[in-house]
Amino acid sequence: MGIILYILMQVAVLVVVGIVGSIIMAVLGIRISPQAYGGLFVMCAIFGCVGSIISLFLSKSMCIRAYGVQIIERPNNRAEEFLVREIASMAQRAGIGMPQVGIYYSADPNAFATGASKNNALVAVSSGLLNNMNDDEIRGVLGHEITHIANGDMVTMSLLQGVLNTFVYFFSYIAAQAVSGFGRSDDEEGNGGGNIFIFYMVQSLFQALFGVLATMIAMWFSRWREYRADAGSAHLEGSYRMISALQALQRLSSIETQKEGQFSAFCINGGKVGLSELFMSHPPLEKRIAALRAAMQQQR
């Protein structure tokens, strides 16, 4: 259910922004002819990228509020001291600035990293992860999140989403114009340039269709970066720690807790193998473990 809501949210954003953009163009009397596709593409790029850029810069504060993350200003217990010490050590070895460190309450063993840059990031772990994993397993998880930051994954995903949004708006406008006839000159159409209501309806349908395809592309890239983050953790902390962390997640996860959920793109959990994998932000845990073991074999 979580992944369905995620897809619907992405499609809804595309449709709403597309309709608003079309209304603005109509109010301003802007008509896109085949000779003006360059200008249309620039406008679509503006509509497509602004939201992604804003989300990137607000991602840290949004996640802190959404999860109720408690930032560790000064460690008060052994668990907090462990987190701050290990993250500081990994950040130094990875060549990034010290991220903020936080804990949030959740029975689901999980963690996420977010932030607008490598030197202005946040690493947060759940209480369920701290309470159910040993030190080596936690180190594997932390190495995974630090690698996400070092690889600039948050920025890359935001840029990719902006590019995908741009093409969704661009191709949906062209397709809707071709079907509805809206925006054509009187000479081309002979009836006043088509019906604007039909255009909006058709454009919304095409945005929904192209939005789903764009989501599949974004999720494929997200799964690829998860393999890279696993490999980075293996480099920082050793393959056995990352494998142990993934095995612990397998052991701890149940049908109730092993789901995408909100903000799933930041979490370390994966789902089950199947057609739904096309819309998963993370590969299934068994595939991630197999990839790490294959890499270990190649290094011998």
Side-chain angles (χ1 to χ4, degrees), residues 7 13 23 35 38 46 56 97 107 152 154 167 175 181 183 274 291 300:
I7 295 171
V13 170
I23 292 174
Q35 292 75 29
I46 294 173
L56 174 64
M154 288 76 71
F167 281 103
R300 292 178 180 175

Side-chain angles (χ1 to χ4, degrees), residues 88-131:
S89 173
M90 293 179 195
Q92 183 177 24
R93 283 180 281 148
I96 62 173
M98 176 64 183
Q100 285 185 296
V101 183
I103 300 174
Y104 65 98
Y105 178 78
S106 173
D108 190 24
N110 240 318
F112 67 83
T114 188
S117 71
K118 297 180 181 181
N119 296 319
N120 184 26
L122 164 72
V123 175
V125 300
S126 70
S127 55
L129 184 143
L130 291 175
N131 295 333

Side-chain angles (χ1 to χ4, degrees), residues 150-181:
N151 289 343
D153 283 342
M154 288 76 71
V155 175
T156 304
M157 282 298 296
S158 295
L159 292 175
L160 174 63
Q161 192 63 61
V163 170
L164 291 173
N165 291 346
T166 297
F167 281 103
V168 168
Y169 294 143
F170 182 71
F171 288 122
S172 64
Y173 189 99
I174 294 174
Q177 189 182 56
V179 172
S180 68

Side-chain angles (χ1 to χ4, degrees), residues 77-256:
N77 52 53
R78 186 262 175 192
E80 293 182 357
E81 290 175 354
F82 173 80
L83 285 177
V84 172
R85 182 179 66 251
E86 293 300 322
I87 289 175
S89 173
M90 293 179 195
Q92 183 177 24
R93 283 180 281 148
I96 62 173
M98 176 64 183
Q100 285 185 296
V101 183
I103 300 174
Y104 65 98
Y105 178 78
S106 173
D108 190 24
N110 240 318
F112 67 83
T114 188
S117 71
K118 297 180 181 181
N119 296 319
N120 184 26
L122 164 72
V123 175
V125 300
S126 70
S127 55
L129 184 143
L130 291 175
N131 295 333
N132 292 284
M133 287 189 175
N134 62 39
D135 287 354
D136 279 342
E137 293 165 349
I138 294 174
R139 288 187 179 98
V141 172
L142 296 180
H144 176 98
E145 302 304 337
I146 288 293
T147 301
H148 272 314
I149 299 172
N151 289 343
D153 283 342
M154 288 76 71
V155 175
T156 304
M157 282 298 296
S158 295
L159 292 175
L160 174 63
Q161 192 63 61
V163 170
L164 291 173
N165 291 346
T166 297
F167 281 103
V168 168
Y169 294 143
F170 182 71
F171 288 122
S172 64
Y173 189 99
I174 294 174
Q177 189 182 56
V179 172
S180 68
F182 176 74
R184 295 177 182 174
S185 68
D186 292 344
D187 293 338
E188 291 176 300
E189 189 63 24
N191 61 4
N195 188 299
I196 189 172
F197 177 76
I198 295 176
F199 173 81
Y200 288 152
M201 295 298 295
V202 175
Q203 186 186 34
S204 297
L205 290 175
F206 277 116
Q207 283 179 349
L209 174 61
F210 294 150
V212 171
L213 296 176
T215 298
M216 292 173 63
I217 295 173
M219 292 301 97
W220 169 82
F221 182 80
S222 178
R223 292 192 297 274
W224 176 76
R225 72 180 186 140
E226 291 305 315
Y227 286 121
R228 289 184 66 209
D230 287 346
S233 178
H235 176 73
L236 283 173
E237 293 297 310
S239 297
Y240 77 95
R241 282 178 172 162
M242 189 63 231
I243 291 175
S244 295
L246 295 174
Q247 290 174 330
L249 287 173
Q250 282 185 316
R251 183 178 70 251
L252 295 170
S253 296
S254 64
I255 296 177
E256 290 75 23

Side-chain angles (χ1 to χ4, degrees), residues 26-27 30 47 152 180 182 187 210-211 254 262 267 272:
V27 170
I30 300 173
F47 288 147
S180 68
F182 176 74
D187 293 338
F210 294 150
S254 64
Q262 63 267 49
C267 299
K272 295 182 178 180

